[in-house]
Amino acid sequence: MPFAVVRLDDESVIGSTRFHQLDYWARPEPTGLPDTCEIGYTWLAREALRTGANTEMKRLMLTHAFEAWQVRSVCLHTDVRNQRSQNAIRRIGGTFEGVLRAHRPTIDQSPRDSARFSITAAEWPAVRQHQAELAARYAESADRRQAAGQHPR
């Protein structure tokens, strides 16, 4: 389930992300909604890095997964060599679970080890609060840049 990431200021596409690996558990009364999912295959344009765009898109997606679908967990994976992405996942509240060896192919089709993170439904209320605080900090920072005459990203 892919999404384009659009900057509201100028309606520029600055990235993409998606829900994937939607898993449905066997239930006596199926809901038609996923029980777990992954968020990933995310990319952002260079000018969108460190602007709060990634935090905001993950906040929106996690809110949808936990509150609309009522999933039990959301997983996020990144290349084990990508420390910036690992830090970003930790910053939004992901818990490191371990490394999946030879988990996915790289662009050149060689095996990639993936760092696995997750957020569970039980953790979601605290993560949601933390993300609201992050969003407020990004908004304050954008307001300060705008007041200083700098172009908001």
Side-chain angles (χ1 to χ4, degrees):
M1 188 177 293
F3 297 92
V5 181
V6 178
R7 184 173 44 224
L8 294 178
D9 289 349
D10 59 4
E11 298 183 1
S12 294
V13 175
I14 58 169
S16 176
T17 190
R18 69 187 64 221
F19 284 115
H20 62 101
Q21 299 301 113
L22 282 72
D23 291 330
Y24 300 84
W25 296 358
R27 296 180 183 203
E29 296 179 33
T31 65
L33 300 172
D35 292 287
T36 65
C37 66
E38 291 185 31
I39 294 174
Y41 297 101
T42 300
W43 64 268
L44 284 171
R46 187 171 308 279
E47 71 269 12
L49 297 175
R50 304 188 64 78
T51 65
N54 186 50
T55 301
E56 180 63 8
M57 78 172 102
K58 295 300 191 294
R59 184 187 68 77
L60 291 169
M61 295 176 79
L62 289 165
T63 298
H64 184 79
F66 286 113
E67 297 179 15
W69 289 343
Q70 298 184 346
V71 297
R72 290 165 168 83
S73 67
V74 173
C75 290
L76 301 102
H77 294 109
T78 189
D79 191 312
V80 75
R81 299 167 296 180
N82 189 337
Q83 193 61 51
R84 183 172 56 196
S85 289
Q86 290 182 53
N87 293 343
I89 294 168
R90 284 184 176 95
R91 187 172 51 252
I92 64 165
T95 299
F96 178 71
E97 292 188 347
V99 174
L100 301 174
R101 298 179 304 145
H103 176 233
R104 293 210 168 112
T106 62
I107 285 179
D108 70 3
Q109 298 303 305
S110 62
R112 175 190 103 172
D113 294 345
S114 295
R116 179 183 173 96
F117 295 82
S118 69
I119 300 168
T120 66
E123 297 164 339
W124 172 238
V127 170
R128 179 180 52 218
Q129 178 61 38
H130 172 68
Q131 289 189 353
E133 293 164 3
L134 287 175
R137 273 191 257 158
Y138 279 116
E140 289 171 13
S141 176
D143 289 345
R144 282 194 303 273
R145 281 194 314 271
Q146 195 167 24
Q150 297 173 351
H151 178 66
R153 292 181 172 173

